[in-house]
Amino acid sequence: MPPMQSGRASFEGAVTNKLINFYVRRSSVLGLPIVEHAYVSPTGKIGPKQLGIYDDSLIGGFEKLAKGLHEVGAPAVVQISHAGGVTNKKVIGTEPAGPSARPKTRMLEVSEIEAIADNFASAAERAVRAGFDGVELHGAHGYLLNQFFSPLLNKREDEYGGSLEKRMRFPLLVAEKVRKRLDDKFLLYRLGSDDLAPGGTHIEDSIVFAKKLEASGVDIIDVSGGMCGSEPKQLKHIKGYFIPQANEIKKAVNVPVIGVGGITDAFFADKLVSEGKVDLVAVGRAFWRDNLWAEKAIQKLSVKPIP
Ligand SMILES: Cc1cc2nc3c(=O)[nH]c(=O)nc-3n(C[C@H](O)[C@H](O)[C@H](O)COP(=O)(O)O)c2cc1C
């Protein structure tokens, strides 16, 4: 199950019983449920009732969530995020900041960039303290790590912008800092693999980036869209619409790769894995609509075909 913001946290971002029930109910047959994105700093929040992991006072809720997931035999992994320049003043109470200045967004100072990398590291440490088995960095769908990677939003002329090398610097700094706090826990990276826009990032850039992420200690790469978002209109009618990008990345790295996008059919999902296109498949909206999707998939796939 890919991360899907459920709007079940408290206004302060704390885990609620409603949120725990949502995950525990769905997770008993899942290999890897990824808990929805949690903001690492109040300035990185994007909406009300979004899950947060920006303060030690929130650890207790995550402890209960990890315990609930472990009790049904599932691993506990949470996605951590910062919305950067795509949030708004109404949500964070101050002007949003991103890699470059845009209308209603100011440019982050280098000292702030480094502080945000530390916010990610502290958030990861909180997840570990709460008993989580890993964290996923949200580097897709136009969130802050993706904003730095994409030349569409990153117009900086310092060490954090310009060439591909420099645009990868901030997300790689975050991955390295987070890796250090995770000990032996898992580090996943959700990679915005293609902006699907002229002048944006393309799969060639993402292949280079994926190799760097692997070298920085990322254990699993979760391949989705970049600035085009998770459900781009030009692709969303295609079954497995980000699988081609995931497959290209899988060919370039040795760590497992997750594929996602418009997967609703258990046989199709199984084929993607058995044919080696990807190592894991994520099923989002189909699972959201039917919380028995995974049970039904197991039943369908366990019926032996008539010879
Ligand atoms: C309601 C909803 C909330 C989502 N929240 C997140 C999120 O927190 N983090 C993230 O990386 N993607 C998020 N996504 C994107 C999904 O993880 C997934 O990539 C997308 O829905 C495409 O997969 P699908 O076609 O199987 O639904 C969300 C999608 C939906 C529909």
Side-chain angles (χ1 to χ4, degrees):
M1 183 168 72
M4 284 185 290
Q5 187 174 343
S6 68
R8 284 169 167 78
S10 76
F11 282 104
E12 293 74 37
V15 171
T16 60
N17 287 335
K18 219 166 126 184
L19 189 132
I20 294 175
N21 292 339
F22 178 84
Y23 285 100
V24 170
R25 200 179 312 132
R26 283 170 174 76
S27 297
S28 61
V29 296
L30 295 184
L32 179 56
I34 303 178
V35 173
E36 66 201 75
H37 68 149
Y39 54 102
V40 300
S41 135
T43 55
K45 183 177 183 177
I46 196 157
K49 297 202 176 179
Q50 186 193 341
L51 188 57
I53 190 158
Y54 58 91
D55 191 85
D56 285 357
S57 62
L58 300 162
I59 295 175
F62 281 94
E63 248 166 31
K64 286 189 199 151
L65 179 55
K67 192 164 173 275
L69 288 165
H70 288 154
E71 274 170 7
V72 295
V77 171
V78 59
Q79 188 185 51
I80 56 177
S81 74
H82 194 294
V86 300
T87 183
N88 65 69
K89 201 173 172 179
K90 269 197 200 134
V91 176
I92 63 171
T94 178
E95 192 179 16
S100 309
R102 293 168 65 225
K104 299 189 178 168
T105 305
R106 65 176 180 84
M107 177 172 143
L108 285 164
E109 304 288 337
V110 169
S111 60
E112 292 177 296
I113 292 174
E114 287 160 2
I116 294 175
D118 289 331
N119 293 152
F120 272 99
S122 303
E125 192 174 314
R126 286 183 195 110
V128 174
R129 280 168 61 192
F132 270 66
D133 303 292
V135 298
E136 176 174 87
L137 301 177
H138 195 343
H141 315 155
Y143 279 72
L144 187 63
L145 303 183
N146 194 183
Q147 290 162 29
F148 271 86
F149 179 48
S150 174
L152 297 176
L153 265 77
N154 186 346
K155 309 283 184 198
R156 298 180 77 93
E157 291 173 354
D158 61 4
E159 68 266 42
Y160 288 104
S163 64
L164 174 61
E165 202 68 27
K166 290 178 177 174
R167 284 184 281 111
M168 293 187 298
R169 182 164 286 154
F170 173 61
L172 288 172
L173 174 71
V174 172
E176 279 154 23
K177 282 189 182 254
V178 166
R179 176 75 269 169
K180 285 192 188 132
R181 305 277 190 98
L182 282 178
D183 296 329
D184 59 346
K185 308 292 183 212
F186 283 102
L187 174 58
L188 289 79
Y189 193 95
R190 196 157 215 207
L191 173 56
S193 60
D194 202 324
D195 287 340
L196 298 177
T201 54
H202 295 292
I203 187 67
E204 294 74 24
D205 310 304
S206 303
I207 288 172
V208 176
F209 190 21
K211 288 183 185 166
K212 294 268 187 194
L213 288 167
E214 181 180 24
S216 311
V218 168
D219 300 298
I220 300 181
I221 301 181
D222 183 2
V223 179
S224 188
M227 300 307 298
C228 58
S230 63
E231 296 135 54
K233 16 179 212 319
Q234 59 272 55
L235 291 187
K236 69 176 186 193
H237 57 284
I238 301 171
K239 274 199 328 187
Y241 52 80
F242 283 126
I243 296 296
Q245 287 85 345
N247 183 237
E248 287 303 313
I249 287 174
K250 180 171 162 54
K251 288 183 209 156
V253 297
N254 296 307
V255 291
V257 169
I258 306 178
V260 71
I263 301 169
T264 58
D265 170 13
F267 291 101
F268 177 66
D270 191 53
K271 203 164 152 236
L272 292 172
V273 176
S274 60
E275 287 182 351
K277 293 265 191 314
V278 290
D279 300 289
L280 298 112
V281 281
V283 176
R285 286 162 299 166
F287 203 8
W288 187 280
R289 286 191 292 269
D290 177 5
N291 63 27
L292 294 175
W293 190 93
E295 268 105 331
K296 290 179 188 168
I298 290 169
Q299 277 167 14
K300 280 185 200 165
L301 294 170
S302 60
V303 175
K304 290 209 174 68
I306 299 161

